[in-house]
């Protein structure tokens, strides 16, 4: 039971890190965009964007300790693409084409599949380990 | 075309190097782990930031196709990093996980390619 609670808590902590990455990565992308379009505050926006970007890489390193690197990279790419495109659409009234909406849906579906795709294997490993301990 | 290809290869190589540095810095070790982690973080960010120069040149050489340049940059980097992690760290993922990763790549590329010009 304690291992189940621990792994559930672990999943929430990992999810929290992914959410934080998505927020900061999106903020960085928006600031890079503003750095390109707001000539009066180009340098300030660039510095903020770069700082947020470096912070995102620190979060990525934390996630590398908790999960397989391929999955971390995929989930970050997926939620990054989704969050940034939605943020640009909402903040700047950007028209997203049907292809872009399809891309957002695909990124969401792919992220979910990558995360749950190994659950059966992990569950079987835990069950086998439990049977081994019991005998 | 050859120049664009060379610049893209250099961009992918430096991006992969940066991600491998971040991964290496995240590996647990004995004494001095924090300092090592910080050093790899700084080095990885310096390499990653420097790689942007290659992508800027690609955009310069493809002024009429920025969406395509973005797809080649982000999509190619993502695929290169996935392969590098799989080879270097011998990732054991299920078929479904690899399918999910491929769909994420396709989705990210669609969001770049599908934009209005």
């Amino acid at each position: 039971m304690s291992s189940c609670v621990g792994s559930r808590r672990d999943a929430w902590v990992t999810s929290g890190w992914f959410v934080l990455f998505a927020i900061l990565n999106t903020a960085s992308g928006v600031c890079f965009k503003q750095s390109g379009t707001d000539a009066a505050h180009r340098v300030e926006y660039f510095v903020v964007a770069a700082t947020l970007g470096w912070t995102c890489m620190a979060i990525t390193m934390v996630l590398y300790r908790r999960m397989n690197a391929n999955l971390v990279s995929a989930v970050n790419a997926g939620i990054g693409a989704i969050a940034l495109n939605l943020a640009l659409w909402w903040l700047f009234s950007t028209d997203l084409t049907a292809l872009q909406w399809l891309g957002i849906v695909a990124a969401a579906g792919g992220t979910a599949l990558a995360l749950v795709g190994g659950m059966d294997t992990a569950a079987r490993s835990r069950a086998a380990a439990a049977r081994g301990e019991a005998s | 075309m050859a120049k664009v290809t060379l610049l893209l290869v250099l961009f992918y190589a430096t991006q992969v190097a940066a991600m491998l540095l971040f991964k290496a810095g995240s590996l647990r070790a004995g004494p001095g782990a924090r300092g090592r982690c910080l050093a790899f973080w700084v080095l990885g960010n310096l390499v990653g930031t420097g790689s942007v120069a290659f992508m800027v040149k690609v955009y310069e050489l493809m002024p009429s196709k920025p969406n395509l340049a973005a797809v080649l940059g982000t999509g190619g980097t993502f695929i290169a990093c996935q392969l590098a992690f799989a080879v270097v760290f011998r990732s054991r993922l299920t078929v479904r996980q690899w399918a999910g990763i491929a769909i994420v790549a396709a989705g990210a590329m669609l969001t770049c390619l599908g934009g209005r010009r």
Side-chain angles (χ1 to χ4, degrees), chain B residues 21-91:
Chain B
L21 285 168
F22 290 134
K23 173 61 183 173
S26 72
L27 295 172
R28 294 188 191 280
R34 273 195 186 172
R36 186 166 158 246
C37 185
L38 182 63
F40 274 100
W41 176 69
V42 170
L43 194 56
N45 274 303
L46 287 175
V47 171
T49 303
S51 73
V52 170
F54 296 123
M55 213 43 224
V56 168
K57 284 302 285 183
V58 171
Y59 280 116
E60 274 181 32
L61 291 171
M62 298 175 69
S64 60
K65 298 173 186 173
N67 289 25
L68 180 57
V71 166
L72 291 171
T74 54
T77 298
F78 180 77
I79 293 168
C81 286
Q82 289 291 326
L83 291 174
F85 283 142
V87 169
V88 174
F89 301 106
R90 297 179 190 168
S91 299

Side-chain angles (χ1 to χ4, degrees), chain A residues 5-60:
Chain A
V5 171
S7 64
R8 202 171 294 139
R9 190 190 312 130
D10 213 40
W12 279 112
V13 171
T14 302
S15 299
W17 282 113
F18 276 123
V19 168
L20 184 61
F21 175 89
I23 292 169
L24 296 183
N25 185 65
T26 300
S28 175
V30 170
C31 287
F32 272 125
K33 181 264 175 202
Q34 288 295 94
S35 173
T37 55
D38 185 348
H41 302 97
R42 181 158 288 152
V43 174
E44 294 93 320
Y45 273 120
F46 184 84
V47 169
V48 171
T51 303
L52 290 170
W54 280 48
T55 307
C56 284
M57 296 327 299
I59 295 171
T60 300

Side-chain angles (χ1 to χ4, degrees), chain A residues 8 18 21 24 31 62 66 85 87 90 96 98 109 120-121 134-135:
Chain A
R8 202 171 294 139
F18 276 123
F21 175 89
L24 296 183
C31 287
V62 170
R66 306 178 74 86
N85 276 281
W90 182 54
L96 292 179
D120 288 349
T121 308
S135 60

